[in-house]
Amino acid sequence: MIFSAPLGAGHVARQRLCRAGESLVWAMYRQTFYYAVDGLDQLGAPGRSSFTRGLSAMGRGVGDLALTFVGGGGDSGDDNAPAADHLVFGPSGESLAVRAVSRFGPGGHLNRLWALTSERLVVAERVAAA
């Protein structure tokens, strides 16, 4: 056991987030989330249909392939969005999942504690003192 390691998500959630009488179902630290919701893009803006998104992705793939053949390299820059470590999903933009996390910015790289208790979903951000 390493005593200098930070406490786990479950321990922190039980100590800091659970109210009297609540039981902790699960807790985890995550940094980047995106939406997987019908009618929204991955950042929560009204999105295009899945057919249009598929055609757009295919066009980007063909463009990268052409750049590779002509110039010896495609779009391999570091301007790509960070990979998601979890998704918020639901049937529509009005779903409970989307409303529950609407105040948090998707696609960012911010350490958050996500905890599900017997009563509620808690998303806690660490705020640094000024």
Side-chain angles (χ1 to χ4, degrees):
M1 177 180 275
I2 301 172
F3 290 105
S4 64
L7 296 174
H11 182 77
V12 172
R14 272 192 198 93
Q15 296 296 317
R16 302 275 180 153
L17 303 177
C18 286
R19 297 175 180 158
E22 275 185 330
S23 58
L24 182 65
V25 178
W26 59 256
M28 63 184 170
Y29 290 114
R30 293 292 181 252
Q31 296 179 346
T32 305
F33 78 91
Y34 293 113
Y35 291 105
V37 176
D38 291 339
L40 300 179
D41 68 4
Q42 69 178 5
L43 296 176
R48 303 172 294 181
S49 71
S50 58
F51 178 72
T52 306
R53 285 193 311 259
L55 286 178
S56 176
M58 188 171 68
R60 282 192 309 272
V62 169
D64 285 348
L65 183 63
L67 283 174
T68 302
F69 284 141
V70 172
D75 182 20
S76 60
D78 291 336
D79 59 345
N80 294 336
D85 54 13
H86 61 292
L87 296 173
V88 173
F89 59 93
S92 72
E94 300 299 318
S95 65
L96 179 61
V98 174
R99 286 183 289 151
V101 298
S102 63
R103 66 176 286 263
F104 302 102
H109 196 70
L110 182 62
N111 198 20
R112 295 181 180 103
L113 173 61
W114 295 69
L116 181 64
T117 72
S118 56
E119 303 287 325
R120 60 203 171 110
L121 171 68
V122 181
V123 182
E125 290 182 340
R126 180 175 295 175
V127 178

